[in-house]
Amino acid sequence: MADVAIEFDGVVAGYQDFMILNDLSFKARRGAVSLLLGPNGAGKSTVLKTLFGLLKVRQGKILLDGEDLTGASSRQLLGRGIAFVPQGRNLFGELTAWQNLELGGITLGMKTTRERIPEILDLFPRVRERLHSQASALSGGEQKQLEIGRALLLRPKVLLIDEPSIGLSPLVVADVFRLLRKLADQGTTVLMVEQNVKSALKIADEAIALESGHCVLQTAAAALLDDPHIERLFLGGAHAASPSVPLVTPSFAA
């Protein structure tokens, strides 16, 4: 358990009376990139929203570093080092890139935020060039980099990121993926959802496949890269994956 950062233990969650996650259990390692995959509606984005306190846990529990954080608010989770970059564009379009970064550090205080902004701009030089432009005037790639940079201001222990490649050019996607890999190598736990599965598997440490809100496969990402069943795994029928792929990563075997 020493290497476990995130644990879902029998979690049931969803929207009003419609449950998406159904007795979901899995563990994500500290300092690793864990990729959630599965067909549309499998519950991938719901995992991130539930972990970040945006959806209520109806049953089960969620643990961070062994501590039960079930029911914690998003603000409380931010304070515990969890940052979330949701799907789509989530910026204040009428404000400048600089002002969006300042708002991202609102829980830090202005002095600390302004001290940290330069390190974010070192990661995203294109954002530095557009620092005083309205966020709505930035390209899709620049906006996504700004969103990620805003989350990284908090120096999170855990980064949740949903579909980072949507609307981005291949070059920008490659840069984002390299950054996620670098963050994990430096100790950040990354839990991501990504439609570009094969590219994401190349920088991920492990894959967690969902189907109908259940975890049906957890294994090393490298084990799936050349697996002939990967297309079927992504589109559905994860339980039908190659018998050579273990159902649980060895480090988390009971």
Side-chain angles (χ1 to χ4, degrees):
M1 291 293 293
D3 290 334
V4 176
I6 300 166
E7 180 177 0
F8 272 55
D9 183 7
V11 172
V12 176
Y15 303 86
Q16 297 181 349
D17 296 328
F18 183 56
M19 296 300 101
I20 304 294
L21 306 183
N22 298 290
D23 195 29
L24 176 62
S25 297
F26 71 85
K27 299 172 185 177
R29 286 192 292 118
R30 183 177 297 106
V33 177
S34 297
L35 174 65
L36 293 166
L37 57 141
N40 290 337
K44 305 182 296 296
S45 294
T46 303
V47 168
L48 302 187
K49 292 175 183 176
T50 304
L51 178 51
F52 196 60
L54 299 176
L55 293 175
K56 181 181 178 181
V57 175
R58 308 301 178 91
Q59 293 181 35
K61 58 185 178 180
I62 298 174
L63 294 90
L64 176 67
D65 295 330
E67 182 178 350
D68 189 348
L69 295 182
T70 310
S73 68
S74 296
R75 186 177 181 87
Q76 290 172 323
L77 293 168
L78 279 171
R80 296 303 305 271
I82 301 178
F84 180 33
V85 181
Q87 185 180 150
R89 300 291 175 260
N90 296 274
L91 298 170
F92 297 94
E94 71 281 6
L95 301 181
T96 65
W98 172 269
Q99 290 168 329
N100 271 273
L101 287 172
E102 285 186 325
L103 285 172
I106 196 167
T107 60
L108 301 172
M110 193 58 68
K111 182 178 183 294
T112 301
T113 298
R114 288 178 174 171
E115 288 173 348
R116 292 187 183 182
I117 285 178
E119 69 187 47
I120 300 302
L121 299 180
D122 287 342
L123 292 173
F124 301 105
R126 185 58 183 159
V127 173
R128 183 195 298 276
E129 294 173 9
R130 305 296 307 277
L131 199 56
H132 301 294
S133 299
Q134 282 191 326
S136 59
L138 273 56
S139 70
E142 291 163 350
Q143 290 185 25
K144 180 53 68 176
Q145 291 176 61
L146 177 57
E147 285 187 67
I148 297 172
R150 188 174 60 182
L152 294 182
L153 270 175
L154 302 175
R155 296 178 181 169
K157 294 191 299 183
V158 175
L159 178 64
L160 313 177
I161 188 163
D162 193 356
E163 300 283 12
S165 76
I166 286 182
L168 305 187
S169 71
L171 286 176
V172 174
V173 171
D175 286 343
V176 169
F177 282 4
R178 278 193 292 268
L179 174 62
L180 295 177
R181 181 67 262 167
K182 180 180 179 180
L183 290 171
D185 291 341
Q186 293 174 343
T188 302
T189 301
V190 179
L191 186 61
M192 69 183 297
V193 174
E194 174 52 52
Q195 61 177 350
N196 191 342
V197 174
K198 288 198 173 181
S199 293
L201 284 171
K202 292 177 182 177
I203 60 102
D205 295 289
E206 57 188 20
I208 301 167
L210 305 183
E211 190 173 87
S212 302
H214 297 278
C215 177
V216 293
L217 178 71
Q218 182 166 359
T219 190
L224 294 185
L225 264 176
D226 299 317
D227 193 288
H229 298 269
I230 182 61
E231 192 73 15
R232 184 161 42 146
L233 176 67
F234 178 55
L235 295 176
H239 55 279
S242 169
S244 64
V245 178
L247 289 179
V248 181
T249 44
S251 60
F252 295 141

